[in-house]
Amino acid sequence: MAIAAGYAATDELHQAFLPSRSASMSDVLLDTTGATLAQLWIAWRTHRNGDTLRGGKSSATQLHGETSISLPVARDTEDQEER
């Protein structure tokens, strides 16, 4: 949240030097509020799904059980000629 607030403040400072733009403290507050709400929403979704940053199960694992990925195996050309 602090990064978003700092970025919003520096963006408004930059706009103060542009002839076609103006700086506004309300824009900084709106940007910071939006970033805060986004972080709260992500935290709520993560908590609701039971995910943790310390090794908890992911949403996909909870919905579909343990998952594994199988990759295709390259076959030797001689094996392909026999078919």
Side-chain angles (χ1 to χ4, degrees):
M1 182 174 66
I3 292 171
Y7 185 85
T10 57
D11 183 44
E12 291 301 317
L13 180 64
H14 172 257
Q15 288 182 17
F17 295 104
L18 297 175
S20 62
R21 304 294 304 255
S22 63
S24 171
M25 187 61 177
S26 62
D27 282 348
V28 174
L29 292 174
L30 281 171
D31 291 343
T32 304
T33 301
T36 302
L37 291 175
Q39 287 179 353
L40 289 172
W41 182 75
I42 291 169
W44 173 75
R45 294 275 313 219
T46 302
H47 178 72
R48 186 183 74 156
N49 291 336
D51 295 345
T52 65
L53 296 176
R54 297 182 181 162
K57 290 185 175 183
S58 69
S59 302
T61 302
Q62 287 180 353
L63 293 174
H64 307 291
E66 295 298 323
T67 58
S68 63
I69 298 172
S70 59
L71 300 174
V73 177
R75 298 187 183 269
D76 194 16
T77 56
E78 292 176 11
D79 292 339
Q80 291 177 358
E81 290 174 2
E82 292 175 7
R83 293 185 193 174

